[in-house]
């Protein structure tokens, strides 16, 4: 990475920041945090810019920037959210760099779990260094509540989709050479997030300031959260040790959504665990379970709460019959985090109710939940080349 190009791009972003400040948008450079003087209330409005620590970035990125913008929280109130922008090496093509919008998987729901302000995993470095080297810029929303105080409402369709679409709107207000064309990529919880965003985009008429969506790539997708989560809580359930952490975050989100709908039905261990879920990131929360399964959280594993399935559907559901663009779904045959029992049939269902688009399902033999994401990279690059050319 040429030092001159990095310095030039940094100077360019500083000039952009000064321009934003001149029109009244509070801007930060070089530190994390939301400016105390910000008073923006419109969703999609840019609220701050910063230079990210290179330790949080990718070696192929020619520049890494954080930005704060306005969206809505789980109660429909204006709220700040954070995201990262990674710029590819070299000069932009005519029309600007095509954009990949990356929706991350489960990291936690607490403020300190925001992935844009943590080192990248080896898996993500391998994946996104290839994406960047292939000439795509990457925007990575943290989801509202991560990095801006409070808590993220886990698997909340409205929060996830708003965080994504409003991040696209916000980054377009910077004087950067970005193409109008973009593709969504999401893994695990992020797969749900990109499907939610695509659905919302389709129902909003494919227009507006976030227009230009060209495709969706979703790996490790939980195709029916209400049914699969009910099974995950049963005493005889099997699966990865991470599932107890997922369960804690789901229960915390349901209780936050409707206070009193969850806590009366938890064990003593469960109440303590859901309290910890509000602040602890995934690895620490899983370790706190001491090997216990999701069934240990609730008094009746066959019915975690009296309205469990309905509440999960209200939290996670999205309209599936107006997807606006082609969809690629990938899964690992050895996934024990989100078992892909119904993934193939789900793809068939999506195709049958969305005739104008193509829904393709790819299996990755021998790959687990995380491994399928990296295994999907060649197919993802082919998809991007086709849909962002």
């Amino acid at each position: 990475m040429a030092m001159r190009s990095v310095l030039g791009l940094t100077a360019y972003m500083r000039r952009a920041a000064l321009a934003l400040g001149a029109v009244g948008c509070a801007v930060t450079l070089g530190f994390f945090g939301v400016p105390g003087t910000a008073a923006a209330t419109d969703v999609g409005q840019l609220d701050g810019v910063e230079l990210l620590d290179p330790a949080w970035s990718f070696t192929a990125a020619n520049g890494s920037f954080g930005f704060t913008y306005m969206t809505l929280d789980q109660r429909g109130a204006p709220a700040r959210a954070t995201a990262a922008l990674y710029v590819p090496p070299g000069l932009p093509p005519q029309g600007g760099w095509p954009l990949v919008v990356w929706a991350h998987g489960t990291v936690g729901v607490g403020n300190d779990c925001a992935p844009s302000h943590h080192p990248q995993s080896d898996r993500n470095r391998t994946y996104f260094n290839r994406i960047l080297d292939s000439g795509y810029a990457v925007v990575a929303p943290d989801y509202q509540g991560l990095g801006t105080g409070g808590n993220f409402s886990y698997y909340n369709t409205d929060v996830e989709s708003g965080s994504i679409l409003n991040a696209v709107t916000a980054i377009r207000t910077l004087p950067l050479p970005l193409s109008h064309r973009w593709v969504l990529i999401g893994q695990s919880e992020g797969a749900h997030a990109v499907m939610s965003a695509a659905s919302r985009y389709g129902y909003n008429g494919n227009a507006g300031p976030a227009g230009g969506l060209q495709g969706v790539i979703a790996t490790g997708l939980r195709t029916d959260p209400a049914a699969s989560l009910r099974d995950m809580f049963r005493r005889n359930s099997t699966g990865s040790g991470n599932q107890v952490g997922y369960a804690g975050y789901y229960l915390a989100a349901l209780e936050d959504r409707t206070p009193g709908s969850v806590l009366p039905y938890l064990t003593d261990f469960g109440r303590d665990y859901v309290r910890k879920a509000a602040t602890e990131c995934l690895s620490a929360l899983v370790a706190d379970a001491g090997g216990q399964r999701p069934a240990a959280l609730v008094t009746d594993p066959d019915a975690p709460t009296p309205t469990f399935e309905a509440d999960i559907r209200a939290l996670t559901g999205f309209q599936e019959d107006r997807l606006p663009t082609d969809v690629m779904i990938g899964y690992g045959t050895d996934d024990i985090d989100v078992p892909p029992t119904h993934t193939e049939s789900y793809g068939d269902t999506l195709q049958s109710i969305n005739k104008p688009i193509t829904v393709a399902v790819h299996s990755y033999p021998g790959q687990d939940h995380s491994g399928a994401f990296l295994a999907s990279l060649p197919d993802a690059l082919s998809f991007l080349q086709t849909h962002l050319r």
Side-chain angles (χ1 to χ4, degrees):
M1 181 166 58
M3 181 60 68
R4 180 176 296 177
S5 64
V6 173
L7 292 175
L9 186 56
T10 299
Y12 186 81
M13 286 296 291
R14 288 188 182 277
R15 290 196 297 272
L18 290 173
L20 285 169
V23 297
C25 180
V27 174
T28 64
L29 281 172
F31 63 94
F32 186 41
V34 179
T37 59
T41 56
D42 293 334
V43 295
Q45 181 168 326
L46 192 68
D47 191 54
V49 180
E50 63 171 333
L51 302 177
L52 287 181
D53 187 327
W56 302 333
S57 186
F58 304 99
T59 55
N62 195 30
S64 304
F65 309 96
F67 61 99
T68 307
Y69 61 100
M70 298 305 298
T71 186
L72 300 177
D73 65 15
Q74 63 266 41
R75 294 172 179 83
R80 292 175 175 85
T82 53
L85 168 67
Y86 308 101
V87 178
L91 295 174
Q94 185 174 2
W97 288 299
L99 185 64
V100 167
V101 178
W102 156 242
H104 64 79
T106 300
V107 294
V109 302
N111 182 67
D112 294 339
C113 302
S116 68
H117 285 71
H118 288 275
Q120 303 292 334
S121 67
D122 289 341
R123 182 201 70 180
N124 287 357
R125 281 196 292 269
T126 299
Y127 191 102
F128 285 105
N129 279 329
R130 282 289 304 278
I131 295 292
L132 290 160
D133 277 333
S134 298
Y136 304 104
V138 177
V139 164
D142 286 325
Y143 309 144
Q144 189 280 319
L146 297 177
T148 51
N151 293 98
F152 163 53
S153 181
Y154 186 62
Y155 260 80
N156 186 311
T157 294
D158 292 337
V159 173
E160 290 174 344
S161 61
S163 295
I164 289 170
L165 296 178
N166 291 321
V168 174
T169 298
I171 200 64
R172 285 179 172 173
T173 64
L174 278 172
L176 291 173
L178 297 176
S179 169
H180 186 70
R181 299 165 66 84
W182 57 289
V183 162
L184 283 162
I185 298 181
Q187 155 70 8
S188 191
E189 181 197 353
H192 176 266
V194 297
M195 296 297 290
S196 300
S199 171
R200 181 168 177 171
Y201 182 100
Y203 269 81
N204 284 348
N206 303 357
L213 177 62
Q214 303 297 309
V216 179
I217 300 173
T219 57
L221 176 66
R222 190 179 291 279
T223 58
D224 187 351
S228 66
L229 292 174
R230 189 182 183 105
D231 288 341
M232 191 177 76
F233 274 93
R234 298 188 192 280
R235 290 183 179 87
N236 62 352
S237 72
T238 59
S240 80
N242 286 338
Q243 288 186 336
V244 69
Y246 305 153
Y249 294 137
Y250 278 112
L251 293 172
L254 293 181
E255 177 65 20
D256 177 71
R257 184 182 179 89
T258 307
S261 64
V262 168
L263 289 181
Y265 308 101
L266 301 182
T267 62
D268 290 342
F269 167 69
R271 283 189 290 273
D272 183 59
Y273 198 73
V274 169
R275 178 185 59 79
K276 290 179 179 179
T279 58
E280 292 189 355
C281 302
L282 182 61
S283 59
L285 187 65
V286 170
D288 281 345
Q292 297 198 71
R293 303 287 303 161
L297 301 175
V298 294
T299 57
D300 183 358
D302 292 324
T305 73
T307 56
F308 183 76
E309 289 193 28
D311 291 344
I312 288 292
R313 288 193 178 96
L315 177 73
T316 68
F318 56 87
Q319 298 292 330
E320 299 170 327
D321 61 346
R322 203 178 296 176
L323 296 177
T325 186
D326 292 347
V327 176
M328 173 187 142
I329 297 173
Y331 70 92
T333 59
D334 290 359
D335 188 341
I336 59 173
D337 282 74
V338 181
T341 308
H342 304 293
T343 304
E344 294 279 355
S345 61
Y346 184 71
D348 292 339
T349 297
L350 287 183
Q351 184 65 84
S352 69
I353 60 178
N354 293 279
K355 297 294 187 184
I357 70 169
T358 298
V359 179
V361 179
H362 298 266
S363 66
Y364 300 102
Q367 297 295 334
D368 62 11
H369 187 61
S370 179
F373 177 61
L374 195 54
S376 73
L377 180 56
D379 291 324
L381 288 169
S382 295
F383 187 95
L384 293 176
Q385 186 175 24
T386 300
H387 291 78
L388 289 177
R389 61 188 175 188

